[in-house]
Amino acid sequence: MHRSIVLHMIDMDHIAAMERWYYQKHSAEIARRYGPWLTRHESWMPVPAPEDARQYGYFNWRFTQAYWREQPESGPKGELAFTPSPVPLARCASTHLPAQCTDDFKGSDLLPDEAAPLRWVQFLRWPEGRAQEADRWYTETLAPALCEREELLRFFSSRTISVPGGLPGVWRRQDQGRLKTGKDRQWDRVSELWFDSYSSWRSFLAGLGGVCPPPWAERDGYPFLTLGDSFISTFLVEQPNNDFLAERRVYL
């Protein structure tokens, strides 16, 4: 079993049309075609972010997570192409992860009633040729420093995995340009940091001035990666807005 996660950015002028497409067409097509392989298919709407949070590569629309019992074979395999979105996506980031996180750094003893978390979900890409070095620095040097901050309630992370064929399904060739992935096709790690508010989040960042940049740093301050390129993020609450398998609608 493994997970796939997809994060989107759109022009918010188109949110009504995109919401209709995602709920009425896209999620229904995935649930109908791949339900036998799926055990979960859930989606969150990101929490609106203030200006200082949006600079951290903020993606503003639909974070969708699926748990796969096994990976369907790639290609059409007797299915139709996906219904295209009504307008092009600004960006779409996707990756695959183990079903359970690979590193649990802080907060595993937190009880459900003790916090209503603001989840900061991060996609990270290490500099080319420095992946092993950077990942070791992240787990052995940066993570312990972050855990010292009392504002941080929970912190866990996963190294990404390679899945043959990637996300299942087929788009018509003329519609593929609507999925503007850019450099978002390869990510090295996905992390979650939990806070109780944006105020706590700001205090957390303000307290990281003493963390020294690694030798491969792309910028001086945390997260030491280029914002919006090798580091993107969004903010979520705990509960998903949709459970698409439970809400499954047959499409024609």
Side-chain angles (χ1 to χ4, degrees):
M1 179 183 288
H2 70 279
R3 289 185 287 156
S4 64
I5 54 176
V6 185
L7 185 56
H8 306 85
M9 183 187 296
I10 65 172
D11 183 332
M12 294 304 283
D13 277 350
H14 304 307
I15 187 169
M18 292 295 287
E19 276 292 289
R20 173 180 285 181
W21 165 76
Y22 206 84
Y23 186 79
Q24 186 180 73
K25 301 292 187 180
H26 191 55
S27 66
E29 291 172 0
I30 292 175
R32 177 67 178 85
R33 299 175 194 189
Y34 300 111
W37 288 270
L38 284 168
T39 184
R40 282 189 187 178
H41 183 211
E42 301 168 327
S43 187
W44 286 254
M45 287 294 289
V47 176
E51 183 63 35
D52 54 345
R54 291 198 293 272
Q55 68 176 314
Y56 285 88
Y58 175 68
F59 271 50
N60 62 2
W61 188 62
R62 287 281 179 183
F63 173 95
T64 301
Q65 177 172 264
Y67 281 78
W68 301 87
R69 296 182 179 91
E70 58 180 311
Q71 180 71 10
E73 293 183 22
S74 60
K77 299 297 177 180
E79 300 290 356
L80 300 172
F82 285 134
T83 301
S85 61
V87 296
L89 298 174
R91 287 177 73 184
C92 176
S94 66
T95 194
H96 294 267
L97 307 169
Q100 295 178 299
C101 67
T102 53
D103 299 282
D104 197 328
F105 297 115
K106 183 177 182 179
S108 60
D109 58 349
L110 190 69
L111 298 179
D113 291 340
E114 292 178 338
L118 175 69
R119 302 164 53 197
W120 192 17
V121 179
Q122 308 171 340
F123 286 43
L124 302 91
R125 181 188 299 109
W126 304 131
E128 187 174 357
R130 311 295 290 270
Q132 290 187 342
E133 174 191 356
D135 204 73
R136 189 182 313 113
W137 174 84
Y138 187 85
T139 57
E140 297 178 4
T141 301
L142 181 61
L146 301 185
C147 289
E148 292 179 1
R149 300 300 308 170
E150 63 180 13
E151 302 93 344
L152 182 61
L153 303 176
R154 190 85 171 90
F155 178 20
F156 53 92
S157 183
S158 288
R159 291 184 297 274
T160 61
I161 59 175
S162 177
V163 174
L167 293 172
V170 173
W171 300 90
R172 292 187 308 181
R173 184 172 301 175
Q174 61 265 40
D175 295 326
Q176 290 177 357
R178 293 174 177 269
L179 305 175
K180 297 183 179 179
T181 57
K183 295 181 179 179
D184 298 330
R185 289 172 291 182
Q186 176 60 47
W187 298 95
D188 294 302
R189 185 172 278 272
V190 174
S191 296
E192 282 204 28
L193 289 73
W194 291 11
F195 306 91
D196 62 12
S197 66
Y198 277 119
S199 294
S200 295
W201 173 81
R202 292 187 183 96
S203 296
F204 165 80
L205 291 178
L208 298 181
V211 179
C212 295
W216 46 262
E218 298 173 348
R219 63 190 300 267
D220 290 336
Y222 176 83
F224 308 107
L225 296 166
T226 304
L227 303 180
D229 182 8
S230 48
F231 182 94
I232 63 171
S233 67
T234 197
F235 295 86
L236 309 174
V237 293
E238 186 176 15
Q239 294 298 316
N241 297 89
N242 298 101
D243 180 343
F244 289 129
L245 290 184
E247 303 164 9
R248 182 164 134 176
R249 300 162 307 286
V250 176
Y251 75 93
L252 295 175

